[in-house]
């Protein structure tokens, strides 16, 4: 019989992930600050718990999927937190994107109670969570990883152990440096092309076969040209991820100038009230700098 | 019978492209400053001309493939240049990557002699030239493009008209902004990952399925990890392309901060004597800033 799994954090990502665990046949205990998502999961077959501690008392594998480091820290270590309820041999899997240093702090506290930890952040946004096609980067001990691999495989297509505790989050932050700075490069190209009068779809047709090709170019350029800023992944979370990545780079004494620039531009977009827009709204920061707005067919319109 | 084609500039890119025209059955007139490549093409069936003017007297379609704007300007407009020999109805196709302003200057001079022009820069590097799989971005009149399309199709897999005269070079410079700034993003991620102790091939396995995916990540990361800096495309040409792209952005009054940063870092690599290395040597600039050298398995070695 499948092991009971606990799930804390039923947001844009967490809710469809919890549904996928039910579909895969895992008995599921859920907890969430807002109650609507809990009700939905209970109707689908899950059982509700009133606190993270209660989740941990009822499930030996507990997953957290929360916005930022302080949230995970408080759900894991706080009063009525996961470690207050977890017994020896339990596993706490954090799938949020948080600072590796907080991950290590939680791992240390957990080990004092005989609780194992994995950090298993994901890439692939809401669509990947719904379709169970996430890329999952796992840090932790090999045996704990093997024990939890079936659970993770119900959530993603690519489940790769990248090293010990904290390395999952390290790799996720590297992923964000590369991906988000690539998006910034795409936005720069689009604004030059548009102001020079190049049609965006013609541009894509001409260059997508070459060395400038990227996921960001193919997937987000059309949205930018159509001014469709609905979120697949939000500006405020991208800004937070780059802030964590910059802190990691500082800790490692490595300079990452494009990541720093991209973080500043995301911050500008967030400060202008568009923190809940999709990351393709990064283009707005460059448009403001140029006093020019990108259009689908290329033009000379002022923003 | 196939139209006679002239080809000026038999370098790393031009030589295999000229061979592909011969293979496609075009009678070929060639000219090049250094004679070894001319001899090779003549042995393969081409005929040698002693000047660009003579090429233009003997062929009604003349292709130039040269390093930079001044080279193309002098071959087109100089004494014994293409326009000195070309008659009305001829076409001059420049496949180099040069400043759109120089392209327009040459087009104006050509039109006074009844000579048509296309700008048709390429992406795909030496391997694409050899295999005739280049992406070719063409600017110029529709009818001239249609007349020359069979010739261009012998050289590349994707031949797309992107607009009027100069627009081919505009799109190529946009391609370079996006592609080279994407490479910079990849280098930042690799140095953080390596110093944090992440194995580069594990990193690639974990993230290549996600939103950080790009041609640069997939093709150049392994070379950087192996410290293989042999050129597919040279640092000094990338630096030149970004310089032209920055001039275009200035002309358009658009800010492109990552492209500017990437140009500065390429300039640092070139200044240190590695202008003939492949563009993946961009990583060296970030390594110098950090006083740390990327290694395949991740480590803490000092550079």
């Amino acid at each position: 019989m499948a092991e009971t799994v606990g799930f804390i954090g039923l947001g844009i990502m967490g809710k469809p992930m919890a549904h996928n665990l039910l579909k895969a046949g895992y008995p599921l205990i859920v907890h969430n600050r807002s109650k609507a998502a809990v009700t939905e999961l209970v109707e689908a077959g899950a059982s509700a718990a009133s606190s993270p501690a209660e989740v941990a008392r009822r499930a030996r594998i507990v997953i957290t999927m929360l916005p930022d480091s302080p949230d995970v820290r408080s759900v894991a270590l706080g009063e009525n937190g996961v470690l207050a309820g977890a017994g020896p041999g339990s596993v706490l899997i954090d799938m949020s994107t948080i600072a590796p240093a907080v991950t290590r702090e939680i791992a240390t506290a957990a080990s004092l109670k005989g609780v194992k930890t994995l950090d298993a952040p994901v890439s692939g946004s809401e669509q990947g969570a719904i379709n169970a096609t996430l890329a999952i980067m796992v840090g932790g001990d090999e045996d704990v990883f093997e024990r939890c691999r079936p659970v993770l495989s119900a959530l993603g297509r690519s489940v790769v152990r990248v090293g010990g505790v904290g390395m999952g989050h390290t790799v996720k932050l590297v992923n964000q440096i590369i991906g988000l700075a690539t998006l910034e490069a795409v936005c720069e190209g689009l604004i030059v092309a548009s102001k020079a009068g190049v049609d965006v779809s013609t541009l894509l047709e001409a260059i997508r076969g070459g060395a400038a090709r990227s996921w960001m170019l193919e997937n987000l350029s059309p949205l930018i040209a159509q001014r469709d800023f609905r979120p697949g992944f939000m500006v405020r979370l991208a800004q937070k991820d780059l802030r964590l990545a910059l802190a990691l780079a500082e800790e490692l004494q490595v300079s990452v100038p494009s990541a720093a620039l991209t973080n500043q531009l995301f911050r500008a977009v967030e400060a202008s009230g568009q923190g809940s827009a999709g990351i393709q709204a990064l283009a707005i920061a460059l448009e403001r700098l140029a006093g020019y707005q990108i259009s689908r067919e290329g033009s000379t319109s002022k923003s």
Side-chain angles (χ1 to χ4, degrees), chain A:
Chain A
M1 205 187 111
E3 191 160 13
T4 298
V5 176
F7 206 105
I8 300 168
L10 302 171
I12 291 184
M13 298 295 287
K15 197 169 68 174
M17 291 164 73
H19 275 293
N20 284 331
L21 288 171
L22 283 175
K23 280 182 212 153
Y26 287 98
L28 195 69
I29 316 294
V30 297
H31 177 74
N32 194 48
R33 210 158 35 180
S34 112
K35 294 299 157 236
V38 173
T39 306
E40 179 184 322
L41 265 296
V42 168
E43 280 167 10
S47 169
S50 61
S51 70
E54 189 194 332
V55 174
R57 276 190 291 270
R58 296 169 58 191
R60 309 248 310 154
I61 294 180
V62 177
I63 293 172
T64 51
M65 189 62 179
L66 298 159
D68 202 350
S69 308
D71 310 297
V72 177
R73 208 174 169 283
S74 119
V75 161
L77 306 181
E79 203 184 345
N80 286 316
V82 172
L83 290 185
S90 298
V91 184
L92 171 57
I93 308 177
D94 179 35
M95 303 190 74
S96 327
T97 296
I98 68 167
V102 174
T103 302
R104 288 191 293 268
E105 180 191 357
I106 293 171
T108 301
S111 71
L112 297 175
K113 293 206 61 175
V115 175
K116 304 290 189 177
T117 59
L118 294 178
D119 45 306
V122 307
S123 174
S125 80
E126 186 183 7
Q127 213 51 44
I130 292 170
N131 301 331
T133 56
L134 295 168
I136 306 179
M137 306 143 221
V138 190
D141 292 344
E142 185 90 51
D143 58 330
V144 183
F145 172 67
E146 289 306 334
R147 174 175 162 200
C148 298
R149 193 208 281 267
V151 174
L152 296 173
S153 297
L155 301 171
R157 185 160 50 192
S158 152
V159 181
V160 179
R161 179 175 174 269
V162 294
V165 166
M167 291 300 259
H169 284 136
T170 298
V171 166
K172 175 65 191 288
L173 295 180
V174 168
N175 181 77
Q176 300 304 73
I177 289 173
I178 296 176
L180 295 170
T182 296
L183 171 60
E184 205 279 332
V186 169
C187 291
E188 290 192 10
L190 287 184
I191 196 164
V192 169
S194 177
K195 200 162 183 193
V198 178
D199 176 276
V200 172
S201 60
T202 306
L203 175 76
L204 282 180
E205 187 194 349
I207 75 174
R208 72 152 52 97
R213 187 182 71 229
S214 65
W215 188 97
M216 293 290 175
L217 178 72
E218 288 169 62
N219 290 277
L220 299 188
S221 296
L223 299 183
I224 292 169
Q226 292 155 32
R227 311 201 73 67
D228 177 350
F229 296 126
R230 286 175 295 177
F233 180 58
M234 283 184 195
V235 164
R236 86 161 59 86
L237 293 175
Q239 196 279 119
K240 179 266 293 183
D241 287 359
L242 283 174
R243 177 167 42 74
L244 295 176
L246 293 175
L248 173 65
E250 182 172 357
E251 193 184 303
L252 292 167
Q253 297 277 297
V254 169
S255 289
V256 286
S258 280
L261 168 69
T262 304
N263 173 250
Q264 292 290 318
L265 294 176
F266 272 121
R267 193 182 298 176
V269 177
E270 188 180 3
S272 73
Q274 286 160 298
S276 298
I279 52 172
Q280 66 274 26
L282 180 62
I284 292 172
L286 289 168
E287 291 180 339
R288 294 229 171 95
L289 287 174
Y292 170 80
Q293 195 169 296
I294 295 168
S295 71
R296 202 181 320 200
E297 66 286 351
S299 81
T300 53
S301 65
K302 296 274 173 184
S303 71

